[in-house]
């Protein structure tokens, strides 16, 4: 779906079948509204449309179409109308954006008995939002493509002095947001939040919000075409109508000042971003528990930096996840949040939390509720998995392989669990494509906008298992610089691979000299010795050597087991095999000089179409320490014992 393809131009509707990258881009179809499409053979029209497509693709690539004008942070603390619930839907299998020549987002209804309309959202079936569509209807299980969702609503006390935004926590992968028949924005990226202003389109009664969601996979998307996880489609996180004053605080960034911490004094540095034309002269920041009540002068440009003294501030850590109620106000707007303050740095091969070495007892996690077979989206979903991780003895979780729901990050703040966060810069990324780099930056900006104030989040990871070709090295290097330029309060890492055989390392030593490690604060690598290649006792012969003097995290290792399947330790897929693999792997990794943490793969079995072994996998990656029904496997206890000993 693309916006240019979606709108009528006069009474003629233009469709671009090639715009999805899969169908033939050289065929353009046009038709009179209300008639079936016919192919156009006019070269001039063709040329104009090709130019239009190129401009759109360029705009898209520089972020104008996929971006949003305003990022609304912390929507939970705003006045908002909850738009979750049952939404009507129409499947758009051929991605025409319309049915019988009428765009679905116009919400057409037959005017009289002679009228022809070839869809009816009023009479359509429903899907729950938030939630992926796949397991709500049998016919949608493996559906990949476009679905139009509709939700109607009224707004009590619509105010001329307020501004209104449709906020979506996440929709996978492209979302076209329309209100009352007009397109208000388009967003690319399946796991980050976005908001579009609808102030000028809203009515008190009878609003229809129609969102088109397309989860097709494409080589120039992030992720690209193949992943080892299920491509859940749809509006997977909360939707709300957020109401703000004309000028409002759209974001704020608070962190503990590293330098002053060293001198014993405690200062909080921050930045406040205002949006709107009536900028107040001052803003106020209060942290009542610390006796902080500061008035700061607002920069007329809208972005105001500040630094405030915070004597007696207790540092946030897993052992003491102290959060402070922070309230920020400017003009008529006020937001409140609960924020923890900590520092995270490295020194030689150590990771330092608040200046003290920390060992990261971690585990990897996908953002699924396996019991519901759905993307996770609620606080209960977050409680379920974080509870398991805590039982395992973890103080750290790798949120693989894409941004997880905001609830999990907020709950980790409350529970004192450190986090690694990442984008799906995973297998098969089109590294040489500048548009893809811009998409990665846009997605990272959205993630940082959302989670900057979360003390639990300590590592941004920029890639997972990617080959060290020059295009990838340049891409990741540029992305690392970009991330540091907008957030210097966290560490940067990437899940890398060992040097390949051609680099001539001796068999008993795995070497790591990936050039991107130069840019990273923490070296991380995935290693599946004993599962992909060799049996677990092969681990006894290996040692590790790194070309950089930096802390090391083993970002993945593991093997599959079907919960309840027992055998001797040589029986693949048995719990005994997996437990043995953990014993051998932990002993091997423990020998690494500078080991700062581990995140084995993975806490819970997760859905993956790549895993089709009948009666063992049945569509699930079985490397979880817990089954999709919540039953623990033997290896869970091996890792728990190891963490207890650390
Ligand atoms: C990996 C990938 C992860 C896979 C895992 C596996 O290296 O990073 O996404 O699911 O291996 O199970 O093979």
């Amino acid at each position: 779906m693309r916006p240019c393809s979606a709108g009528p131009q006069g009474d003629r509707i233009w469709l671009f079948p090639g715009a999805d990258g899969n169908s033939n881009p050289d065929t353009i179809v046009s038709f009179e509204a209300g008639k079936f499409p016919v192919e156009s053979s006019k070269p001039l029209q063709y040329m104009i449309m090709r130019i239009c497509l190129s401009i759109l693709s360029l705009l898209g690539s520089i972020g104008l179409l996929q971006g949003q004008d305003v990022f609304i942070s912390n929507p939970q603390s705003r006045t908002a109308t909850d738009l979750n619930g049952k939404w009507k839907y129409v499947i758009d299998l051929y991605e025409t954006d319309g049915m019988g020549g009428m765009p679905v987002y116009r919400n057409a209804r037959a005017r009289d008995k002679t009228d022809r309309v070839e869809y009816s959202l009023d009479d359509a079936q429903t899907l729950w939002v938030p939630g992926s569509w796949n397991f709500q209807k049998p016919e949608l299980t493996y559906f990949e493509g476009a679905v139009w969702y509709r939700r109607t609503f009224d707004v009590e006390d619509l105010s001329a002095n307020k501004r209104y935004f449709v906020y979506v926590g996440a929709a996978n992968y492209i979302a076209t947001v329309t209100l009352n028949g007009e397109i208000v924005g388009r967003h690319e990226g399946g796991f980050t939040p976005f908001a579009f202003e609808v102030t000028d389109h809203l009515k008190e009664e009878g609003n229809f919000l129609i969102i088109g969601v397309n989860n097709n996979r494409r080589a120039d998307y992030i992720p690209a075409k193949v992943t080892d996880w299920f491509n859940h489609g749809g509006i997977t996180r909360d939707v709300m109508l957020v109401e703000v004053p004309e000028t409002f605080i759209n974001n704020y960034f608070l962190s503990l000042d590293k330098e002053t911490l060293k001198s014993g004094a405690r200062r909080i540095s921050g930045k406040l971003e205002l949006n709107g034309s009536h900028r107040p002269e001052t803003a106020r920041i209060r942290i009542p528990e610390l006796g902080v009540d500061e008035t700061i002068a607002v920069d007329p440009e809208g972005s105001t930096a500040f630094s405030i003294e915070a004597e007696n501030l207790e540092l946030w850590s897993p052992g003491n996840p102290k959060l402070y109620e922070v309230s920020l106000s400017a003009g008529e707007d006020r937001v409140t949040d609960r924020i923890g303050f900590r520092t995270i740095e490295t020194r030689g091969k150590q990771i330092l939390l608040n200046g003290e070495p920390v060992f990261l007892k971690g585990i990897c996690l996908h953002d699924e509720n396996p019991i519901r077979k759905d993307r996770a989206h609620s606080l209960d979903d977050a409680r379920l998995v974080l509870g398991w991780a805590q039982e395992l003895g973890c103080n750290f979780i790798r949120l693989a392989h894409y941004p997880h729901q905001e609830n999990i990050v907020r709950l980790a703040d409350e529970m004192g669990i450190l986090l690694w966060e990442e984008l799906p810069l995973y297998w098969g990324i089109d590294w040489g494509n500048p548009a893809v780099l811009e998409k990665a930056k846009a997605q990272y900006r959205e993630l940082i906008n959302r989670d900057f104030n979360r003390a639990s989040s300590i590592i941004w990871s920029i890639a997972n298992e990617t080959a060290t070709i020059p295009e990838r090295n340049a891409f990741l290097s540029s992305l690392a610089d970009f991330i540091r330029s907008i957030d210097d309060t966290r560490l940067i890492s990437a899940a890398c691979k060992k040097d390949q055989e051609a680099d001539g390392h001796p068999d008993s030593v795995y070497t790591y000299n990936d050039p991107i490690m130069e840019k990273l604060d923490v070296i991380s690598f995935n290693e599946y010795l004993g599962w992909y290649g060799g049996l677990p006792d092969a681990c006894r012969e290996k040692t590790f050597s790194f070309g950089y003097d930096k802390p090391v995290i083993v970002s993945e290792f593991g093997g599959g087991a079907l919960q309840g399947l027992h055998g001797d330790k040589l029986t693949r897929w048995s719990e005994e095999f997996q437990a043995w693999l953990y014993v051998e792997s932990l002993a091997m990794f423990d020998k690494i000089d500078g080991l700062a943490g581990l995140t084995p793969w993975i806490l819970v079995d997760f859905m993956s179409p790549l895993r089709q072994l009948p009666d063992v996998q049945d569509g699930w990656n079985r490397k979880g320490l817990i089954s999709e029904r919540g039953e623990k496997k033997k290896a869970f206890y091996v890792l728990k014992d190891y963490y207890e000993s650390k």
Side-chain angles (χ1 to χ4, degrees):
M1 287 183 290
R2 305 186 79 96
C4 185
S5 68
Q9 302 175 0
D11 279 332
R12 183 162 274 264
I13 310 255
W14 291 94
L15 302 175
F16 303 94
D20 66 358
N22 297 325
S23 40
N24 179 4
D26 295 329
T27 315
I28 286 185
V29 179
S30 75
F31 57 93
E32 300 293 335
K35 290 194 192 134
F36 280 106
V38 288
E39 269 190 40
S40 165
S41 54
K42 290 182 191 151
L44 185 60
Q45 285 174 341
Y46 173 84
M47 290 305 291
I48 292 169
M49 291 309 138
R50 290 299 298 168
I51 292 167
C52 175
L53 262 182
S54 309
I55 293 170
L56 279 169
S57 133
L58 185 69
L59 288 175
S61 70
I62 58 175
L64 293 182
L65 291 178
Q66 70 208 29
Q68 43 192 320
D69 8 329
V70 181
F71 187 91
I72 303 219
S73 70
N74 190 7
Q76 301 83 352
S77 89
R78 308 266 174 193
T79 307
T81 308
D82 178 357
L83 295 177
N84 291 339
K86 281 182 169 181
W87 289 50
K88 302 277 191 179
Y89 75 96
V90 171
I91 296 173
D92 187 4
L93 190 65
Y94 295 157
E95 297 173 41
T96 59
D97 292 352
M99 296 290 141
M102 290 170 201
V104 177
Y105 69 87
R106 295 280 163 136
N107 199 28
R109 293 176 172 107
R111 280 169 301 227
D112 57 42
K113 67 181 182 186
T114 67
D115 205 7
R116 179 185 60 83
V117 178
E118 302 199 31
Y119 65 88
S120 166
L121 278 159
D122 291 336
D123 300 320
Q125 291 188 33
T126 56
L127 284 169
W128 284 103
V129 171
S132 69
W133 61 54
N134 306 78
F135 297 94
Q136 298 195 40
K137 308 272 165 172
E139 67 273 23
L140 292 180
T141 301
Y142 291 107
F143 181 76
E144 293 185 312
V147 170
W148 291 92
Y149 286 75
R150 188 196 77 182
R151 162 84 207 232
T152 54
F153 62 95
D154 299 332
V155 187
E156 267 176 44
D157 305 325
L158 189 64
S159 161
N161 304 322
K162 301 272 183 203
R163 291 168 68 189
Y164 296 86
F165 290 82
V166 169
Y167 175 93
V168 181
N172 188 30
Y173 175 83
I174 303 267
T176 304
V177 180
T178 76
L179 184 71
N180 296 335
E182 301 297 332
I183 295 176
V184 294
R186 174 180 179 270
H187 179 263
E188 176 167 349
F191 304 95
T192 44
F194 51 94
F196 293 112
E197 182 155 13
V198 294
T199 312
D200 296 338
H201 302 278
L202 211 56
K203 315 179 276 190
E204 276 198 339
E205 280 175 14
N207 292 289
F208 55 93
L209 174 63
I210 296 183
I211 303 184
V213 183
N214 189 329
N215 74 333
N216 266 329
R217 292 165 291 111
R218 262 176 50 162
D220 63 344
Y221 285 174
I222 304 171
K225 294 193 81 152
V226 181
T227 62
D228 188 16
W229 67 81
F230 196 90
N231 183 25
H232 292 276
I235 306 177
T236 52
R237 296 186 190 146
D238 295 336
V239 184
M240 51 188 120
L241 181 75
V242 176
E243 175 188 319
V244 290
E246 196 279 334
T247 297
F248 69 100
I249 301 167
N250 65 280
N251 212 348
Y252 47 91
F253 306 86
L254 271 69
S255 64
L256 186 65
D257 196 321
K258 280 183 235 168
E259 297 313 312
T260 60
L261 183 66
K262 282 179 193 144
S263 69
R266 290 183 179 174
R267 287 195 84 80
I268 294 170
S269 302
K271 200 172 76 173
L272 195 70
E273 280 178 6
L274 295 184
N275 183 286
S277 50
H278 306 305
R279 301 268 152 79
E281 285 180 3
T282 58
R284 192 166 163 200
I285 298 157
R286 273 170 291 176
I287 310 178
E289 209 182 323
L290 290 174
V292 169
D293 187 348
E294 295 263 336
T295 300
I296 52 168
V298 166
D299 181 311
E301 296 306 310
S303 174
T304 297
F306 58 85
S307 168
I308 47 184
E309 208 174 302
E311 237 185 289
N312 304 324
L313 177 137
E314 263 179 62
L315 300 175
W316 182 99
S317 70
N320 180 33
K322 174 73 193 158
L323 300 178
Y324 288 96
E325 181 102 10
V326 177
S327 131
L328 301 119
S329 46
E332 289 167 33
D333 198 26
R334 174 159 181 262
V335 269
T336 56
D337 206 341
R338 284 166 58 71
I339 302 183
F341 298 93
R342 52 96 188 111
T343 61
I344 191 84
E345 298 158 282
T346 64
R347 184 177 58 206
K349 289 178 179 289
Q350 291 179 320
I351 295 179
L352 306 179
L353 176 69
N354 300 326
E356 301 290 327
V358 60
F359 185 79
L360 301 172
K361 305 180 200 180
I363 192 73
C364 288
L365 184 70
H366 266 291
D367 195 28
E368 266 178 4
N369 179 322
I371 295 159
R372 274 206 333 268
K373 292 172 98 179
D374 193 4
R375 280 262 165 262
H377 61 75
S378 67
L379 198 52
D380 281 347
D381 291 342
R383 278 200 193 102
L384 178 75
V385 289
L386 292 196
W388 282 332
Q390 241 180 10
E391 201 183 328
L392 185 59
C394 294
N395 61 8
F396 182 54
I397 298 183
R398 175 181 175 195
L399 300 180
H401 276 303
Y402 40 75
H404 287 214
Q405 59 151 336
E406 189 173 351
N407 283 316
I408 211 162
V409 190
R410 287 187 170 269
L411 187 62
D413 259 16
E414 303 274 347
M415 291 172 66
I417 298 179
L418 298 159
L419 300 176
W420 153 313
E421 298 198 69
E422 66 191 64
L423 293 193
L425 287 161
Y426 191 80
W427 307 338
I429 294 292
D430 188 2
W431 302 112
N433 183 342
V436 178
L437 177 59
E438 290 313 311
K439 291 176 193 186
K441 290 180 180 171
Q443 289 187 26
Y444 241 119
R445 185 182 283 285
E446 289 168 347
L447 178 59
I448 292 172
N449 269 331
R450 192 191 76 176
D451 289 349
F452 185 94
N453 295 308
R454 303 285 74 83
S456 54
S457 173
I458 54 164
I459 293 180
W460 297 131
S461 171
I462 54 174
N464 179 74
E465 279 188 356
T466 53
T468 61
I469 55 169
E471 293 83 354
R472 168 272 197 185
N473 300 343
F475 181 113
L476 293 183
S477 169
S478 165
L479 184 62
D481 290 343
F482 171 77
I483 292 172
R484 270 189 229 288
S485 74
I486 53 174
D487 181 5
D488 66 353
T489 67
R490 290 178 172 81
L491 306 175
I492 296 185
S493 194
C496 298
K497 303 202 281 193
K498 59 183 170 263
D499 299 339
Q500 300 306 298
E501 302 304 325
D503 298 325
H505 57 80
D507 264 4
S508 59
V509 185
Y510 282 159
T511 58
Y512 295 82
N513 292 288
D514 183 336
I516 198 62
M517 289 176 176
E518 181 72 48
K519 285 268 174 172
L520 308 178
D521 299 301
V522 176
I523 296 174
S524 304
F525 66 89
N526 299 352
E527 178 51 53
Y528 282 90
L529 181 64
W531 182 257
Y532 295 128
L535 285 172
D537 51 7
C539 293
R540 295 175 196 166
E541 288 151 28
K542 298 291 174 192
T543 56
F544 298 81
S545 162
F546 303 92
Y548 303 86
D549 184 37
K550 297 185 179 187
V552 176
I553 294 179
V554 182
S555 40
E556 283 181 34
F557 71 89
L562 178 67
Q563 188 278 326
L565 182 73
H566 296 287
D568 62 16
K569 65 180 189 184
L570 287 169
T571 307
R572 210 169 269 260
W573 307 111
S574 71
E575 288 193 37
E576 286 71 17
F577 187 108
Q578 190 191 37
W580 181 40
L581 177 82
Y582 267 70
V583 170
E584 299 287 355
S585 302
L586 290 168
M588 169 176 71
F589 295 130
D590 224 12
K591 289 185 292 198
I592 294 175
D593 173 32
L595 184 71
L598 301 160
T599 53
W601 190 256
I602 182 170
L603 185 63
V604 196
D605 289 351
F606 60 95
M607 278 174 269
S608 170
L610 292 183
R611 310 294 172 173
Q612 293 296 339
L613 185 64
D615 302 326
V616 174
Q617 294 177 311
D618 300 314
W620 293 83
N621 183 314
R622 293 287 178 206
K623 295 190 189 70
L625 297 176
I626 302 178
S627 77
E628 77 277 25
R629 294 175 304 279
E631 294 139 331
K632 295 177 184 99
K633 308 178 192 174
K634 284 186 174 221
F636 180 95
Y637 299 99
V638 175
L639 186 60
K640 186 174 160 68
D641 287 349
Y642 173 80
Y643 283 156
E644 268 165 19
S645 74
K646 276 301 209 186

